[in-house]
Amino acid sequence: MARIMTGAQIVVQALKDQGVDTVFGYPGGAVLPIYDEVFQQNDIRHVLVRHEQGATHAAEGYARSTGKPGVVLVTSGPGATNAVTGMTDALMDSIPIIVLTGQVPTFMIGNDAFQEADTVGITRPCTKHNWLVKDTDRLADTIHQAFHVATSGRPGPVLIDIPKDVQFADGEYVAPEKARTSHYQPRVKGDIDLITLAVEAIERAERPIIYSGGGVVNSGDRASQLLRELVAATNFPITSTLMGLGCYPASGKNWMGMLGMHGTYEANMAMHGCDLMLCIGARFDDRITGRVDAFSPDSFKVHIDIDPSSINKNIHVDVPVIGDVGHVLEDVLALWKERGSKTSAGGLDAWWRQIDAWKDVKSLAYRNSEKVIKPQYALERLEALTKGRDRYITTEVGQHQMWAAQYLGFEEPNRWMTSGGLGTMGYGLPASVGVQIAHPDALVINVAGEASWLMNMQEMGTAMQYRAPVKQFILNNERLGMVRQWQELLHGERYSSSWSESLPDFVKLAEAFGCKGIICKDPADLDDAIQEMLDYDGPVIFDCLVEKHENCFPMIPSGKAHNEMLLSDAAMSDAIDAEGAVLV
Amino acid sequence: MNALHLKKGSSKHSAYDLKNPLGDHLETHTLTVLVDNEAGVLARVIGLFSGRGYNIDSLTVAEVDHEGHLSRITVVTTGTPAVIEQIKAQLGRMVPVHSVHDLTVEGASVERELALVKVTGTGEKRVEAMRTSEVFRAAVVDSTLESFVFEITGTPEKIDAFVRLMVPLGLEEVARTGIAAISRGT
């Protein structure tokens, strides 16, 4: 009983059968047949963005906050090329999104037709996989496969390019359960021999550390539960990458804060000095390792990752366990308990005393001011005033992003959406819209810098149209703060093009969009202003004028090791000798 | 305030000058990759090599299973041991890739390349070219009064040697297929 439909109907039916409830997109000539079908149904909600890049980031926010894949629908040519940044972002951060692009009719491909681009060619390196569908009969099958590829193994973006004549033509619809099974079936269970080696390492470790990452979030809630169970049962200290924040609660007693370039002193020193590193769903990124030949020199390293190409890519590990974090942790815990739940208690006590001494350095301390709002203070107040609420945070990219990671506490996974691998300025606002669409009643805040925010500010229109009450908390230092910081530290204080000239009046801008604008520049007014933002039922643009020359610390300068952190401006100016700030 | 103690005006970077810590001892490996024979699959593989800065010394591809829509890619690549491992892992995780085998480490294998070699000349040079081709068991696949096209099959080293000998005898052009390889035994 073949079901014959048009290609456009097949697209909509396949999305419904895949459980899609929301599509972020922007119409154009080459996707009009699909938009016509979208118009004639009510199961899938279409969210009209203001720029295709916004659609991809919104889909990422949707995906990251729900654990479900995000779906994007855009037209050919510029529609597809505008989506490239978002797909690259999703590839770097392993976010499952399905991008459907229109294409010129098959008989015009290669003719330099209007709004033609070689979409599969352009997006080949920025997708996990992509398809050009030239036959309507293959369309349903391809869409189902695309969902499988995007969500299995290491998740990522996929793209399906659909020529307009394929959308009009009739073809057979195939339901997901009838679709061809893909040979792409990444292994999820870890090798038990390697897991045994990992368990033995846990039993004998005297200075262990758990270094978790975004793979725990991707693995699902169960993985976070198991991680928490492992930490509680072993009493091992735990740190996390930027992408993994929330898998272990920030209020948990074993939490050491984020590690890496702007991680805490205790986390980085413990990474450097540990004798066992349990890397769980992270990939030894250069922001984490610093100088690789001085990275954690004396540790036995266990690496759990679903992607075989992550193993030994940057750092050689002793025990590589290829598999899904949830499955592997389940086996690790079961085996460790079966063998008597042993740890080196004496060693651990001494290790915790050492960690507590490092914690006493208080690497996140900063010099507050009564005259000007310090960005760290702004985030501490935001944290205090939103504590206990079902809160989702997105960020743009730069200093504010690192401060948000340092000063906001995440208690659950999927509550923190940020562009980690690609570092895409302009990510946060559209991502916040995507999160809010997925969680209409939740508090969604985009912690932004003014320069990043301007990159996709058109998406305030989307927020207004769909009544997404996103709060845009802009730490405005009138600088490209992180660029400025690097120029200060590494480029002889030549501030080349790193200030924000001719900024808009954000309050008037908010009024122009029809939402609420708040400006705050006095620390004394900050709490009331933040409360006003939180109480307002609708989108808010909050212009928080902060200290212009604040640097983000602690910092491992690139090319330096974990134990060569810079702690603070204060340390540098007090010591006068800059060498004094480079703690060894 | 200059934390790295760099002179004002200095443009010294730090991370970019670091040496590759994985060592620079190079190895050449022959990999065979079984892939779905679908549009763009070769571009994907080549794009992986160029995008990640891996070397391709030789690459051949052809369909080997029409029913199963499978093609076999033989790629010879050079890199440090760590890079070779990365290449295999990166190839292995690609969606259309069914299997990756490193013939250089997985037991004995046979590697062959085919070349078509055009030589022009008359008189003693022509006779010498013919004589040499017999030594190398090259076949004459085209002949005029002033030219031969030889077909020669063998290891790349054998073909290199043959081509070198043809240079003084009137070598005109060479077409080489690149290496096809298969493991020995069962």
Side-chain angles (χ1 to χ4, degrees):
Chain A
M1 38 171 270
R3 293 164 71 189
I4 302 298
M5 309 178 188
T6 67
Q9 288 169 333
I10 286 174
V11 169
V12 172
Q13 187 61 47
L15 294 180
K16 283 182 192 172
D17 287 352
Q18 288 289 345
V20 173
D21 52 26
T22 308
V23 170
F24 300 91
Y26 203 100
V31 277
L32 282 177
I34 299 174
Y35 269 88
D36 201 32
E37 289 304 324
V38 169
F39 187 81
Q40 299 177 54
Q41 55 82 50
N42 288 314
D43 296 332
I44 297 174
R45 183 184 193 195
H46 178 268
V47 176
L48 176 70
V49 293
R50 298 301 187 265
H51 184 289
E52 288 89 349
Q53 187 189 350
T56 53
H57 295 322
E60 285 186 275
Y62 178 96
R64 192 71 173 170
S65 66
T66 60
K68 299 194 293 185
V71 181
V72 174
L73 174 60
V74 294
T75 193
S76 63
T81 56
N82 279 344
V84 164
T85 302
M87 283 186 276
T88 312
D89 191 271
L91 186 71
M92 293 288 270
D93 285 344
S94 308
I95 311 292
I97 61 172
I98 287 101
V99 179
L100 305 166
T101 53
Q103 181 57 280
V104 300
T106 49
F107 53 85
M108 290 177 80
I109 288 177
N111 261 348
D112 296 327
F114 177 65
Q115 293 197 328
E116 180 185 357
D118 175 12
T119 301
V120 286
I122 290 169
T123 61
R124 209 173 273 133
C126 65
T127 52
K128 193 175 164 188
H129 197 62
N130 62 16
W131 296 262
L132 168 64
V133 182
K134 287 181 163 175
D135 177 358
T136 308
D137 281 331
R138 297 295 311 277
L139 189 53
D141 204 64
T142 306
I143 295 173
H144 298 318
Q145 267 211 52
F147 275 83
H148 169 72
V149 169
T151 54
S152 54
R154 182 174 177 175
V158 296
L159 178 142
I160 310 169
D161 201 23
I162 312 172
K164 197 172 181 181
D165 56 334
V166 173
Q167 299 171 30
F168 274 126
D170 284 336
E172 189 180 332
Y173 181 74
V174 188
E177 52 282 5
K178 296 263 175 67
R180 280 186 312 144
T181 49
S182 171
H183 73 87
Y184 180 78
Q185 303 288 348
R187 79 185 275 179
V188 292
K189 289 284 277 184
D191 181 307
I192 196 66
D193 291 341
L194 292 168
I195 288 173
T196 307
L197 291 176
V199 168
E200 286 168 7
I202 290 171
E203 289 168 348
R204 66 171 183 265
E206 301 203 325
R207 303 187 312 277
I209 185 165
I210 293 174
Y211 144 46
S212 65
V216 184
V217 183
N218 281 336
S219 180
D221 288 347
R222 178 85 184 120
S224 289
Q225 281 172 24
L226 288 163
L227 179 71
R228 291 166 188 218
E229 207 179 304
L230 178 72
V231 173
T234 58
N235 194 30
F236 284 5
I238 176 165
T239 179
S240 162
T241 66
L242 183 73
M243 295 306 295
L245 295 176
C247 291
Y248 184 81
S251 59
K253 78 176 177 63
N254 294 34
W255 178 240
M256 303 210 298
M258 182 177 75
L259 82 161
M261 183 172 273
H262 294 289
T264 64
Y265 184 69
E266 54 270 29
N268 285 331
M269 291 302 281
M271 285 289 280
H272 191 81
C274 65
D275 70 349
L276 168 65
M277 181 183 296
L278 276 176
C279 170
I280 303 176
R283 61 183 178 94
F284 296 98
D285 175 88
D286 55 71
R287 302 291 98 166
I288 296 306
T289 60
R291 185 171 144 190
V292 287
D293 59 1
F295 176 73
S296 194
D298 303 319
S299 60
F300 185 82
K301 298 180 184 74
V302 176
H303 187 186
I304 302 169
D305 201 305
I306 200 160
D307 179 1
S309 77
S310 287
I311 305 290
N312 293 337
K313 182 168 69 179
N314 301 329
I315 297 293
H316 181 80
V317 297
D318 300 282
V319 179
V321 186
I322 295 168
D324 169 65
V325 166
H327 285 83
V328 174
L329 283 185
E330 188 124 46
D331 289 348
V332 166
L333 268 167
L335 185 64
W336 179 70
K337 285 178 184 162
E338 192 186 305
R339 289 165 54 114
S341 303
K342 286 174 287 198
T343 55
S344 164
L348 270 175
D349 282 347
W351 182 228
W352 273 111
R353 279 195 298 279
Q354 172 65 70
I355 289 170
D356 287 340
W358 284 327
K359 278 186 177 171
D360 287 342
V361 169
K362 299 202 185 312
S363 60
L364 294 182
Y366 60 95
R367 195 177 288 170
N368 209 352
S369 163
E370 289 184 353
K371 296 200 180 89
V372 58
I373 300 173
K374 291 283 188 153
Q376 302 95 325
Y377 177 70
L379 287 165
E380 278 184 344
R381 295 318 301 157
L382 184 70
E383 168 77 358
L385 293 167
T386 58
K387 209 154 192 68
R389 293 187 59 169
D390 187 19
R391 182 191 73 183
Y392 292 77
I393 301 286
T394 68
T395 75
E396 305 287 346
V397 168
Q399 286 182 321
H400 68 274
Q401 178 190 27
M402 293 298 110
W403 282 318
Q406 291 170 337
Y407 294 94
L408 301 179
F410 298 93
E411 298 297 313
E412 297 295 334
N414 305 100
R415 297 297 194 280
W416 164 248
M417 274 57 58
T418 193
S419 172
L422 194 64
T424 309
M425 293 171 71
Y427 167 90
L429 167 49
S432 71
V433 174
V435 173
Q436 189 82 74
I437 297 280
H439 309 275
D441 300 324
L443 171 62
V444 181
I445 304 171
N446 175 31
V447 176
E450 84 289 345
S452 282
W453 192 83
L454 288 175
M455 282 203 180
N456 269 326
M457 70 164 190
Q458 76 283 350
E459 299 305 331
M460 282 311 290
T462 312
M464 289 305 297
Q465 181 180 345
Y466 295 93
R467 300 176 201 285
V470 290
K471 315 301 182 201
Q472 304 300 319
F473 192 67
I474 302 173
L475 299 174
N476 182 353
N477 59 1
E478 300 171 14
R479 299 288 183 284
L480 315 190
M482 192 61 94
V483 173
R484 196 209 64 80
Q485 177 169 346
W486 279 57
Q487 288 171 335
E488 178 182 330
L489 298 178
L490 292 157
H491 292 273
E493 296 171 60
R494 291 186 299 276
Y495 299 118
S496 180
S497 297
S498 57
W499 66 94
S500 300
E501 194 79 63
S502 306
L503 282 172
D505 178 328
F506 286 100
V507 174
K508 283 188 184 156
L509 190 62
E511 287 164 8
F513 275 113
C515 64
K516 186 177 183 63
I518 300 172
I519 186 165
C520 184
K521 52 191 160 194
D522 186 342
D525 301 335
L526 186 60
D527 275 22
D528 287 346
I530 290 176
Q531 198 56 53
E532 190 185 352
M533 172 181 84
L534 298 174
D535 292 343
Y536 183 72
D537 183 19
V540 177
I541 300 174
F542 189 113
D543 184 12
C544 188
L545 293 168
V546 297
E547 162 69 48
K548 298 185 198 313
H549 300 108
E550 192 73 9
N551 281 335
C552 184
F553 288 106
M555 176 182 185
I556 304 175
S558 63
K560 297 281 178 178
H562 276 176
N563 58 349
E564 298 177 286
M565 297 187 80
L566 305 178
L567 278 183
S568 70
D569 274 334
M572 286 193 284
S573 54
D574 290 350
I576 299 174
D577 177 8
E579 291 293 332
V582 186
L583 293 176
V584 178
Chain B
M1 186 164 37
N2 188 323
L4 296 182
H5 217 47
L6 300 177
K7 279 199 189 106
K8 192 159 184 170
S10 160
S11 61
K12 188 180 161 204
H13 298 254
S14 49
Y16 306 108
D17 301 329
L18 292 176
K19 285 179 78 173
N20 180 358
L22 300 170
D24 41 16
H25 148 64
L26 295 178
E27 292 179 358
T28 297
H29 285 237
T30 303
L31 312 178
T32 65
V33 190
L34 205 59
V35 298
D36 285 325
N37 183 19
E38 60 181 29
V41 68
L42 185 60
R44 269 178 224 289
V45 171
I46 292 173
L48 171 71
F49 275 76
S50 65
R52 293 186 183 267
Y54 306 144
N55 296 307
I56 297 178
D57 299 341
S58 157
L59 183 136
T60 62
V61 56
E63 190 177 67
V64 291
D65 177 356
H66 185 69
E67 294 291 295
H69 298 288
L70 293 177
S71 287
R72 182 171 169 119
I73 296 173
T74 308
V75 56
V76 182
T77 182
T78 302
T80 61
V83 166
I84 301 281
E85 287 309 307
Q86 259 300 297
I87 291 173
K88 288 190 265 183
Q90 293 287 354
L91 285 169
R93 72 173 186 153
M94 293 176 80
V95 173
V97 169
H98 288 248
S99 66
V100 180
H101 288 285
D102 184 347
L103 295 185
T104 306
V105 299
E106 294 175 16
S109 62
V110 186
E111 295 188 359
R112 287 293 180 268
E113 186 175 6
L114 184 143
L116 297 172
V117 182
K118 184 181 283 182
V119 180
T120 58
T122 53
E124 193 50 40
K125 283 189 176 173
R126 183 172 164 82
V127 175
E128 181 59 22
M130 189 66 200
R131 206 163 23 227
T132 309
S133 75
E134 282 162 13
V135 174
F136 278 81
R137 297 207 186 106
V140 177
V141 291
D142 179 66
S143 172
T144 68
L145 291 176
E146 287 97 33
S147 70
F148 287 123
V149 174
F150 297 113
E151 174 198 313
I152 177 168
T153 309
T155 61
E157 294 75 23
K158 176 181 164 185
I159 292 171
D160 288 344
F162 182 70
V163 169
R164 252 196 321 274
L165 285 172
M166 287 300 125
V167 171
L169 302 179
L171 180 71
E172 202 66 35
E173 42 178 328
V174 183
R176 295 174 70 149
T177 58
I179 289 171
I182 204 161
S183 60
R184 288 181 188 268
T186 48

